[in-house]
Amino acid sequence: MIIVMKIGAHENQVREVIQRIEGLGYQAHIIEGTQRTVIGAVGDERGKDRLQSLEVMPGVETIVPILQPFKLASREVKGGKSIIKVGDLEIGGPAVVVMAGPCSVESEAQMVQTAQSVKAAGATVLRGGAFKPRTSPYAFQGLAEEGLKFLDAARTATGLKIITEVVNPADVELVAAYTDVLQIGARNVQNFALLKRVGEVGKPVLLKRGMATTIKEFLMAAEYILSEGNYNVILCERGIRTFETSTRFTLDLSAIPVLGKLTHLPLFVDPSHGTGHWEYVSPMAKAAVACGADGLIIEVHPNPAEAQSDGLQSLKPQKFQQLMDELRPVALAVGRRL
Ligand code: PEP
Ligand code: MN
């Protein structure tokens, strides 16, 4: 249920409504709008009629049921788009945000060098995995905390924000201590213990769609994070499994307008994992911005042939620069900037 407060409702009235919601055994989530406050009451659907009694409380304008199974993620609870702040960087605002860097963190020199080149091209966030969820247990698994230190060194050298993946609930605190944005990978989109942990920590989270996750399941996964009180969630389309084998996955760009209708959360696209081939990254990145993505996450490596992982889909810095130059007019054409 959404409890819509009257314009100008007093904070005491808001507090009393929250107390009543909690007294009835529901969680209260406060969404401050420019005009008025709305409160999402989330919990057991079966007893929701009891919330109807809130309608007569002072300061309450009306009570509306949330029809979608995802509640806090839905446009019903928040009509406008969410802007997520990562320090001074805004995600989901007018500027398209580009995150770029290697698949895996390999050395300090690699990270600092990549950070300098992606920053010069216009990226504002450096990516790099220190904990890698690899398909094979024999493949490179990442440098763990040492890798986090290399990311930190690249942040200090360039001022870029950093994003890195966390794969294990037990590592969330460690990774959160280093990173600006926590990445949850496609393989963990329904790792509910991990989703709850990143929800508790409160740092911004980029949640990737699983390779066989429906839009509804994806939004329900986001709901796990939001329901812990962490509203800083970015959704990322990164390709789904289809019968097609010419690309590594099928980048489902239609997910962007579909998600945009259902949720207020910022929407990203990963054209690197979505295609699996560096030649296809640039056209799909431009298409992603054209169809309304709020940002991109792109793999860039100074020497893709030597990369520990995903070299085939990694752009060389100069190709990345070229892509950024081509993206600018696309962003302008759809009313955004880069
Ligand atoms: C990655 O970003 O390097 C990664 C492993 O992505 P995904 O979880 O989308 O496969
Ligand atoms: Mn990768």
Side-chain angles (χ1 to χ4, degrees):
M1 288 285 195
I2 303 167
I3 294 84
V4 182
M5 301 301 292
K6 290 188 172 136
I7 290 174
H10 196 270
E11 63 183 70
N12 285 340
Q13 295 174 327
V14 174
R15 199 172 321 122
E16 274 162 27
V17 170
I18 292 168
Q19 275 167 3
R20 176 77 70 86
I21 292 170
E22 290 173 349
L24 289 168
Y26 288 80
Q27 276 182 1
H29 294 266
I30 302 113
I31 298 121
E32 306 268 9
T34 45
Q35 296 267 331
R36 58 172 102 228
T37 301
V38 304
I39 305 164
V42 187
D44 189 350
E45 285 290 284
R46 288 165 301 179
K48 66 177 188 295
D49 287 350
R50 286 181 297 156
L51 290 166
Q52 216 59 52
S53 64
L54 291 160
E55 199 141 27
V56 295
M57 289 187 73
V60 173
E61 170 98 33
T62 182
I63 297 192
V64 202
I66 310 173
L67 301 174
Q68 296 286 10
F70 41 91
K71 309 290 177 192
L72 302 169
S74 81
R75 284 268 191 189
E76 293 175 67
V77 112
K78 185 173 180 185
K81 276 201 71 109
S82 281
I83 294 184
I84 291 173
K85 291 214 168 75
V86 183
D88 54 354
L89 181 68
E90 288 195 341
I91 295 179
V96 172
V97 170
V98 179
M99 307 179 171
C103 180
S104 298
V105 176
E106 295 161 8
S107 70
E108 183 170 331
Q110 171 228 22
M111 290 315 295
V112 173
Q113 190 190 337
T114 311
Q116 284 163 342
S117 57
V118 299
K119 183 184 177 182
T124 45
V125 182
L126 176 70
R127 65 149 288 151
F131 293 91
K132 294 304 300 176
R134 304 304 300 281
T135 303
S136 163
Y138 308 118
F140 177 63
Q141 304 286 309
L143 297 178
E145 189 168 4
E146 193 187 16
L148 299 175
K149 291 189 172 144
F150 296 158
L151 277 162
D152 187 34
R155 170 171 51 194
T156 306
T158 58
L160 289 176
K161 305 280 185 277
I162 57 179
I163 176 167
T164 196
E165 181 164 354
V166 58
V167 296
N168 184 343
D171 294 330
V172 169
E173 249 167 67
L174 171 75
V175 179
Y178 283 93
T179 199
D180 300 299
V181 183
L182 290 157
Q183 178 177 326
I184 302 282
R187 290 155 190 83
N188 273 316
V189 66
Q190 287 185 315
N191 180 339
F192 300 119
L194 184 61
L195 298 177
K196 285 189 198 170
R197 249 341 257 124
V198 299
E200 286 161 7
V201 164
K203 275 244 156 121
V205 177
L206 180 132
L207 176 66
K208 286 190 156 193
R209 183 181 183 183
M211 48 200 86
T213 307
T214 65
I215 299 274
K216 283 227 168 84
E217 287 164 342
F218 191 20
L219 288 166
M220 293 308 284
E223 192 76 13
Y224 265 89
I225 305 172
L226 299 168
S227 68
E228 294 296 331
N230 183 355
Y231 307 123
N232 303 310
V233 178
I234 304 156
L235 301 176
C236 181
E237 161 61 34
R238 49 76 71 209
I240 53 174
R241 270 244 153 96
T242 67
F243 54 81
E244 184 53 67
T245 53
S246 305
T247 45
R248 186 176 176 190
F249 297 95
T250 296
L251 188 63
D252 179 15
L253 285 184
S254 63
I256 298 301
V258 172
L259 282 165
K261 196 167 161 191
L262 296 172
T263 183
H264 51 87
L265 297 172
L267 306 172
F268 267 50
V269 170
D270 174 347
S272 307
H273 293 86
T275 62
H277 296 269
W278 71 266
E279 305 99 296
Y280 308 145
V281 170
S282 174
M284 297 316 282
K286 287 180 268 186
V289 171
C291 76
D294 298 298
L296 298 164
I297 181 162
I298 297 177
E299 287 186 339
V300 176
H301 196 287
N303 186 0
E306 305 262 292
Q308 286 279 7
S309 57
D310 288 349
L312 271 183
Q313 67 195 34
S314 299
L315 294 179
K316 290 182 181 160
Q318 190 238 330
K319 287 269 186 244
F320 177 68
Q321 168 81 61
Q322 194 182 326
L323 164 58
M324 293 294 279
D325 293 342
E326 290 170 13
L327 271 177
R328 266 180 209 103
V330 178
L332 284 177
V334 292
R336 309 290 288 265
R337 59 187 154 78
L338 202 62

